[in-house]
Amino acid sequence: PRRSRRRKSVAIAYDPEQGDGVETQRPRWEPRDWQEQLERIREMRRNRDAPVDEMGVDKCYDSSAPPQVMRYQVLLSLMLSSQTKDQVTSAAMLRLRQHGLTVDSILQMDDATLGQIIYPVGFWRNKVKYIKQTTAILKEKYGGDIPSTVEELVQLPGVGPKMAHLAMNIAWDSVSGIAVDTHVHRITNRLKWVKKETRYPEETRVALEDWLPRDLWREINWLLVGFGQQTCLPVNPRCSQCLNQDICPAAKRC
């Protein structure tokens, strides 16, 4: 009986009806100073003038195209963007769109031509293969559209979790999770936004989603990617120019 009462008291302690509902729903762990750090990053990103803002994936598709074609272009731009600078991805997408970027046009295009168009994106030879395989699957299984779930998207050749979450966000206007690339992975580890250091982006995504309020999930990717492109660089970060210098755990090493 005592054990039963103890379990009930724990359950009641987390009941959102207790008190004002704010304290009881707060995550068990959250990083020190994260809200202030976030506000300062927003201030540094206020001008939205990083490469991701001007040439990111959400700027690469034809917004006047039919919804199905637009969604396909979003997915293709994400596939091209892996380990490739935004400027290079944007240029490759522009060249593809000049050839008429649809499921049918890509299926009719030979590999050599596709390779010439997307070069010099990173790993372009592999991407030619993945794009052709994925496009064929979309034609056969999804009627030329892209899947509307993360689970189905990551089954496509050349599509990883980050791409899937961004595709859900941009193409379907649905927040399915935090899109973690190398910038988000690096910066959140530097800021100690993860309980313990993570080695891979997917590990970072799980750690962030455990505590970061869901209403911030959509914002985090573009915010931190631009911050990583301009200030919190992979090598020689510009800590002297960073508003978080006094509250960043990694700033002392710069």
Side-chain angles (χ1 to χ4, degrees):
R2 289 180 182 172
R3 221 176 264 172
S4 175
R5 281 198 298 273
R6 198 171 294 124
R7 280 200 297 269
K8 287 180 182 176
S9 67
V10 170
I12 292 170
Y14 287 94
D15 190 332
E17 293 180 4
Q18 297 288 320
D20 58 9
V22 176
E23 290 297 322
T24 53
Q25 294 182 40
R26 180 171 293 176
R28 294 177 185 174
W29 177 87
E30 61 181 36
R32 180 180 177 181
D33 299 325
W34 76 269
Q35 289 169 308
E36 189 171 0
Q37 290 165 342
L38 178 62
E39 281 303 319
R40 293 182 183 184
I41 293 173
R42 282 176 177 150
E43 174 60 26
M44 288 183 279
R45 292 280 286 115
R46 186 162 47 87
N47 293 332
R48 297 196 177 204
D49 53 2
V52 69
D53 301 306
E54 300 168 357
M55 292 168 282
V57 168
D58 60 336
K59 300 290 192 297
C60 289
Y61 63 87
D62 180 4
S63 58
S64 65
Q68 186 168 305
V69 173
M70 181 206 74
R71 289 190 287 267
Y72 175 66
Q73 292 183 2
V74 168
L75 183 62
L76 236 64
S77 64
L78 285 165
M79 294 175 72
L80 292 176
S81 71
S82 175
Q83 300 187 57
T84 303
K85 290 184 180 297
D86 288 327
Q87 298 91 322
V88 178
T89 301
S90 177
M93 281 296 294
L94 183 60
R95 292 192 296 272
L96 280 171
R97 285 169 55 187
Q98 289 170 346
H99 282 73
L101 182 50
T102 65
V103 164
D104 289 334
S105 70
I106 291 296
L107 288 177
Q108 293 164 10
M109 191 180 294
D110 62 78
D111 290 6
T113 301
L114 180 57
Q116 289 171 359
I117 295 173
I118 68 171
Y119 179 85
V121 299
F123 301 97
W124 63 273
R125 289 186 180 86
N126 287 336
K127 289 176 182 177
V128 166
K129 179 177 66 175
Y130 293 146
I131 287 171
K132 280 301 195 73
Q133 291 174 346
T134 285
T135 304
I137 293 170
L138 297 181
K139 175 77 170 179
E140 180 182 346
K141 189 174 179 181
Y142 297 97
D145 209 337
I146 72 170
S148 58
T149 68
V150 169
E151 291 73 23
E152 291 174 294
L153 283 164
V154 295
Q155 295 300 314
L156 298 170
V159 178
K162 179 209 77 173
M163 300 180 205
H165 288 299
L166 279 175
M168 290 298 296
N169 186 352
I170 300 168
W172 293 110
D173 193 27
S174 173
V175 180
S176 56
I178 300 172
V180 178
D181 68 349
T182 55
H183 291 291
V184 178
H185 172 67
R186 176 181 75 255
I187 293 166
T188 52
N189 270 275
R190 283 177 176 174
L191 291 171
K192 304 295 186 189
W193 281 13
V194 288
K195 204 167 187 178
K196 60 180 182 178
E197 186 175 356
T198 53
R199 296 179 61 190
Y200 307 105
E202 184 61 7
E203 190 182 353
T204 303
R205 180 189 66 79
V206 173
L208 289 173
E209 289 180 4
D210 189 51
W211 68 268
L212 190 70
R214 193 179 181 90
D215 60 353
L216 298 176
W217 289 10
R218 187 191 295 267
E219 176 188 23
I220 285 299
N221 180 267
W222 77 265
L223 193 69
L224 295 188
V225 169
F227 179 55
Q229 290 175 335
Q230 294 181 309
T231 307
C232 199
L233 306 176
V235 181
N236 300 321
R238 298 165 179 162
C239 296
S240 61
Q241 301 173 21
C242 182
L243 299 180
N244 278 324
Q245 186 180 18
D246 61 326
I247 54 174
C248 175
K252 295 175 183 175
R253 298 196 294 273
C254 299

PDB file of all heavy atoms in Angstrom, residues 11-29:
ATOM      1  N   ALA A  11       2.795  10.795  -9.575  1.00  0.00           N
ATOM      2  CA  ALA A  11       1.936  11.105 -10.719  1.00  0.00           C
ATOM      3  C   ALA A  11       1.218  12.430 -10.520  1.00  0.00           C
ATOM      4  O   ALA A  11       1.126  13.244 -11.423  1.00  0.00           O
ATOM      5  CB  ALA A  11       0.922   9.984 -10.921  1.00  0.00           C
ATOM      6  N   ILE A  12       0.739  12.658  -9.341  1.00  0.00           N
ATOM      7  CA  ILE A  12       0.017  13.897  -9.048  1.00  0.00           C
ATOM      8  C   ILE A  12       0.944  15.100  -9.137  1.00  0.00           C
ATOM      9  O   ILE A  12       0.567  16.167  -9.595  1.00  0.00           O
ATOM     10  CB  ILE A  12      -0.639  13.822  -7.647  1.00  0.00           C
ATOM     11  CG1 ILE A  12      -1.779  12.781  -7.669  1.00  0.00           C
ATOM     12  CG2 ILE A  12      -1.186  15.167  -7.217  1.00  0.00           C
ATOM     13  CD1 ILE A  12      -2.325  12.439  -6.317  1.00  0.00           C
ATOM     14  N   ALA A  13       2.193  14.913  -8.745  1.00  0.00           N
ATOM     15  CA  ALA A  13       3.151  16.022  -8.750  1.00  0.00           C
ATOM     16  C   ALA A  13       3.365  16.556 -10.165  1.00  0.00           C
ATOM     17  O   ALA A  13       3.671  17.718 -10.345  1.00  0.00           O
ATOM     18  CB  ALA A  13       4.481  15.572  -8.163  1.00  0.00           C
ATOM     19  N   TYR A  14       3.173  15.683 -11.173  1.00  0.00           N
ATOM     20  CA  TYR A  14       3.382  16.108 -12.557  1.00  0.00           C
ATOM     21  C   TYR A  14       2.073  16.417 -13.269  1.00  0.00           C
ATOM     22  O   TYR A  14       2.050  16.624 -14.454  1.00  0.00           O
ATOM     23  CB  TYR A  14       4.147  15.028 -13.338  1.00  0.00           C
ATOM     24  CG  TYR A  14       5.597  14.956 -12.934  1.00  0.00           C
ATOM     25  CD1 TYR A  14       6.022  14.065 -11.961  1.00  0.00           C
ATOM     26  CD2 TYR A  14       6.533  15.795 -13.515  1.00  0.00           C
ATOM     27  CE1 TYR A  14       7.351  14.014 -11.572  1.00  0.00           C
ATOM     28  CE2 TYR A  14       7.868  15.744 -13.139  1.00  0.00           C
ATOM     29  CZ  TYR A  14       8.265  14.846 -12.167  1.00  0.00           C
ATOM     30  OH  TYR A  14       9.578  14.794 -11.788  1.00  0.00           O
ATOM     31  N   ASP A  15       0.989  16.405 -12.518  1.00  0.00           N
ATOM     32  CA  ASP A  15      -0.312  16.710 -13.102  1.00  0.00           C
ATOM     33  C   ASP A  15      -0.354  18.177 -13.506  1.00  0.00           C
ATOM     34  O   ASP A  15      -0.158  19.057 -12.676  1.00  0.00           O
ATOM     35  CB  ASP A  15      -1.418  16.415 -12.065  1.00  0.00           C
ATOM     36  CG  ASP A  15      -2.813  16.474 -12.672  1.00  0.00           C
ATOM     37  OD1 ASP A  15      -3.002  17.219 -13.668  1.00  0.00           O
ATOM     38  OD2 ASP A  15      -3.694  15.806 -12.134  1.00  0.00           O
ATOM     39  N   PRO A  16      -0.616  18.486 -14.784  1.00  0.00           N
ATOM     40  CA  PRO A  16      -0.631  19.881 -15.235  1.00  0.00           C
ATOM     41  C   PRO A  16      -1.688  20.737 -14.560  1.00  0.00           C
ATOM     42  O   PRO A  16      -1.647  21.954 -14.627  1.00  0.00           O
ATOM     43  CB  PRO A  16      -0.884  19.776 -16.742  1.00  0.00           C
ATOM     44  CG  PRO A  16      -1.449  18.419 -16.954  1.00  0.00           C
ATOM     45  CD  PRO A  16      -0.860  17.556 -15.890  1.00  0.00           C
ATOM     46  N   GLU A  17      -2.671  20.105 -13.905  1.00  0.00           N
ATOM     47  CA  GLU A  17      -3.703  20.885 -13.234  1.00  0.00           C
ATOM     48  C   GLU A  17      -3.218  21.459 -11.914  1.00  0.00           C
ATOM     49  O   GLU A  17      -3.836  22.323 -11.331  1.00  0.00           O
ATOM     50  CB  GLU A  17      -4.936  20.013 -12.987  1.00  0.00           C
ATOM     51  CG  GLU A  17      -5.627  19.607 -14.278  1.00  0.00           C
ATOM     52  CD  GLU A  17      -6.842  18.742 -14.047  1.00  0.00           C
ATOM     53  OE1 GLU A  17      -7.179  18.526 -12.873  1.00  0.00           O
ATOM     54  OE2 GLU A  17      -7.448  18.303 -15.029  1.00  0.00           O
ATOM     55  N   GLN A  18      -2.085  20.961 -11.434  1.00  0.00           N
ATOM     56  CA  GLN A  18      -1.524  21.483 -10.196  1.00  0.00           C
ATOM     57  C   GLN A  18      -0.913  22.855 -10.439  1.00  0.00           C
ATOM     58  O   GLN A  18      -0.194  23.052 -11.410  1.00  0.00           O
ATOM     59  CB  GLN A  18      -0.447  20.530  -9.646  1.00  0.00           C
ATOM     60  CG  GLN A  18      -0.983  19.155  -9.256  1.00  0.00           C
ATOM     61  CD  GLN A  18      -1.815  19.219  -8.003  1.00  0.00           C
ATOM     62  OE1 GLN A  18      -1.478  19.927  -7.061  1.00  0.00           O
ATOM     63  NE2 GLN A  18      -2.927  18.495  -7.990  1.00  0.00           N
ATOM     64  N   GLY A  19      -1.179  23.801  -9.600  1.00  0.00           N
ATOM     65  CA  GLY A  19      -0.591  25.136  -9.721  1.00  0.00           C
ATOM     66  C   GLY A  19      -1.035  25.796 -11.011  1.00  0.00           C
ATOM     67  O   GLY A  19      -2.160  25.628 -11.461  1.00  0.00           O
ATOM     68  N   ASP A  20      -0.109  26.535 -11.647  1.00  0.00           N
ATOM     69  CA  ASP A  20      -0.478  27.247 -12.872  1.00  0.00           C
ATOM     70  C   ASP A  20      -0.161  26.436 -14.130  1.00  0.00           C
ATOM     71  O   ASP A  20      -0.341  26.900 -15.237  1.00  0.00           O
ATOM     72  CB  ASP A  20       0.249  28.598 -12.939  1.00  0.00           C
ATOM     73  CG  ASP A  20       1.756  28.435 -12.894  1.00  0.00           C
ATOM     74  OD1 ASP A  20       2.236  27.306 -12.975  1.00  0.00           O
ATOM     75  OD2 ASP A  20       2.444  29.459 -12.772  1.00  0.00           O
ATOM     76  N   GLY A  21       0.367  25.224 -13.936  1.00  0.00           N
ATOM     77  CA  GLY A  21       0.624  24.366 -15.087  1.00  0.00           C
ATOM     78  C   GLY A  21       1.951  24.620 -15.766  1.00  0.00           C
ATOM     79  O   GLY A  21       2.339  23.889 -16.660  1.00  0.00           O
ATOM     80  N   VAL A  22       2.687  25.656 -15.366  1.00  0.00           N
ATOM     81  CA  VAL A  22       3.955  25.982 -16.018  1.00  0.00           C
ATOM     82  C   VAL A  22       5.092  25.174 -15.409  1.00  0.00           C
ATOM     83  O   VAL A  22       5.809  24.470 -16.084  1.00  0.00           O
ATOM     84  CB  VAL A  22       4.256  27.502 -15.910  1.00  0.00           C
ATOM     85  CG1 VAL A  22       5.617  27.781 -16.510  1.00  0.00           C
ATOM     86  CG2 VAL A  22       3.174  28.297 -16.614  1.00  0.00           C
ATOM     87  N   GLU A  23       5.217  25.258 -14.117  1.00  0.00           N
ATOM     88  CA  GLU A  23       6.313  24.574 -13.443  1.00  0.00           C
ATOM     89  C   GLU A  23       6.237  23.060 -13.622  1.00  0.00           C
ATOM     90  O   GLU A  23       7.230  22.396 -13.793  1.00  0.00           O
ATOM     91  CB  GLU A  23       6.304  24.918 -11.943  1.00  0.00           C
ATOM     92  CG  GLU A  23       6.710  26.358 -11.636  1.00  0.00           C
ATOM     93  CD  GLU A  23       8.134  26.673 -12.042  1.00  0.00           C
ATOM     94  OE1 GLU A  23       8.999  25.799 -11.886  1.00  0.00           O
ATOM     95  OE2 GLU A  23       8.369  27.789 -12.556  1.00  0.00           O
ATOM     96  N   THR A  24       5.019  22.502 -13.564  1.00  0.00           N
ATOM     97  CA  THR A  24       4.880  21.051 -13.621  1.00  0.00           C
ATOM     98  C   THR A  24       5.209  20.497 -14.997  1.00  0.00           C
ATOM     99  O   THR A  24       5.555  19.336 -15.126  1.00  0.00           O
ATOM    100  CB  THR A  24       3.441  20.642 -13.246  1.00  0.00           C
ATOM    101  OG1 THR A  24       2.537  21.369 -14.070  1.00  0.00           O
ATOM    102  CG2 THR A  24       3.158  20.934 -11.794  1.00  0.00           C
ATOM    103  N   GLN A  25       5.128  21.309 -16.050  1.00  0.00           N
ATOM    104  CA  GLN A  25       5.413  20.821 -17.394  1.00  0.00           C
ATOM    105  C   GLN A  25       6.835  21.150 -17.848  1.00  0.00           C
ATOM    106  O   GLN A  25       7.224  20.807 -18.939  1.00  0.00           O
ATOM    107  CB  GLN A  25       4.415  21.442 -18.382  1.00  0.00           C
ATOM    108  CG  GLN A  25       2.985  20.962 -18.139  1.00  0.00           C
ATOM    109  CD  GLN A  25       2.031  21.549 -19.143  1.00  0.00           C
ATOM    110  OE1 GLN A  25       2.330  21.668 -20.321  1.00  0.00           O
ATOM    111  NE2 GLN A  25       0.857  21.943 -18.683  1.00  0.00           N
ATOM    112  N   ARG A  26       7.586  21.812 -17.042  1.00  0.00           N
ATOM    113  CA  ARG A  26       8.959  22.170 -17.416  1.00  0.00           C
ATOM    114  C   ARG A  26       9.823  20.904 -17.503  1.00  0.00           C
ATOM    115  O   ARG A  26       9.712  20.015 -16.671  1.00  0.00           O
ATOM    116  CB  ARG A  26       9.545  23.121 -16.374  1.00  0.00           C
ATOM    117  CG  ARG A  26      10.975  23.549 -16.687  1.00  0.00           C
ATOM    118  CD  ARG A  26      11.440  24.658 -15.763  1.00  0.00           C
ATOM    119  NE  ARG A  26      10.693  25.886 -16.004  1.00  0.00           N
ATOM    120  CZ  ARG A  26      10.857  26.988 -15.280  1.00  0.00           C
ATOM    121  NH1 ARG A  26      11.703  26.999 -14.273  1.00  0.00           N
ATOM    122  NH2 ARG A  26      10.159  28.071 -15.553  1.00  0.00           N
ATOM    123  N   PRO A  27      10.664  20.797 -18.524  1.00  0.00           N
ATOM    124  CA  PRO A  27      11.529  19.618 -18.639  1.00  0.00           C
ATOM    125  C   PRO A  27      12.411  19.450 -17.402  1.00  0.00           C
ATOM    126  O   PRO A  27      12.727  20.419 -16.714  1.00  0.00           O
ATOM    127  CB  PRO A  27      12.382  19.937 -19.882  1.00  0.00           C
ATOM    128  CG  PRO A  27      11.598  20.949 -20.638  1.00  0.00           C
ATOM    129  CD  PRO A  27      10.854  21.752 -19.614  1.00  0.00           C
ATOM    130  N   ARG A  28      12.808  18.216 -17.190  1.00  0.00           N
ATOM    131  CA  ARG A  28      13.638  17.945 -15.998  1.00  0.00           C
ATOM    132  C   ARG A  28      15.004  18.621 -16.106  1.00  0.00           C
ATOM    133  O   ARG A  28      15.610  18.971 -15.132  1.00  0.00           O
ATOM    134  CB  ARG A  28      13.840  16.431 -15.862  1.00  0.00           C
ATOM    135  CG  ARG A  28      12.549  15.674 -15.561  1.00  0.00           C
ATOM    136  CD  ARG A  28      12.800  14.190 -15.502  1.00  0.00           C
ATOM    137  NE  ARG A  28      11.561  13.447 -15.326  1.00  0.00           N
ATOM    138  CZ  ARG A  28      11.495  12.129 -15.360  1.00  0.00           C
ATOM    139  NH1 ARG A  28      12.594  11.414 -15.574  1.00  0.00           N
ATOM    140  NH2 ARG A  28      10.348  11.519 -15.192  1.00  0.00           N
ATOM    141  N   TRP A  29      15.477  18.780 -17.354  1.00  0.00           N
ATOM    142  CA  TRP A  29      16.799  19.395 -17.544  1.00  0.00           C
ATOM    143  C   TRP A  29      16.710  20.416 -18.659  1.00  0.00           C
ATOM    144  O   TRP A  29      16.011  20.212 -19.655  1.00  0.00           O
ATOM    145  CB  TRP A  29      17.831  18.333 -17.923  1.00  0.00           C
ATOM    146  CG  TRP A  29      19.194  18.900 -18.196  1.00  0.00           C
ATOM    147  CD1 TRP A  29      20.182  19.145 -17.293  1.00  0.00           C
ATOM    148  CD2 TRP A  29      19.719  19.326 -19.481  1.00  0.00           C
ATOM    149  NE1 TRP A  29      21.282  19.687 -17.925  1.00  0.00           N
ATOM    150  CE2 TRP A  29      21.031  19.814 -19.251  1.00  0.00           C
ATOM    151  CE3 TRP A  29      19.194  19.355 -20.769  1.00  0.00           C
ATOM    152  CZ2 TRP A  29      21.834  20.299 -20.278  1.00  0.00           C
ATOM    153  CZ3 TRP A  29      19.982  19.843 -21.806  1.00  0.00           C
ATOM    154  CH2 TRP A  29      21.288  20.306 -21.554  1.00  0.00           C
TER     155      TRP A  29
END
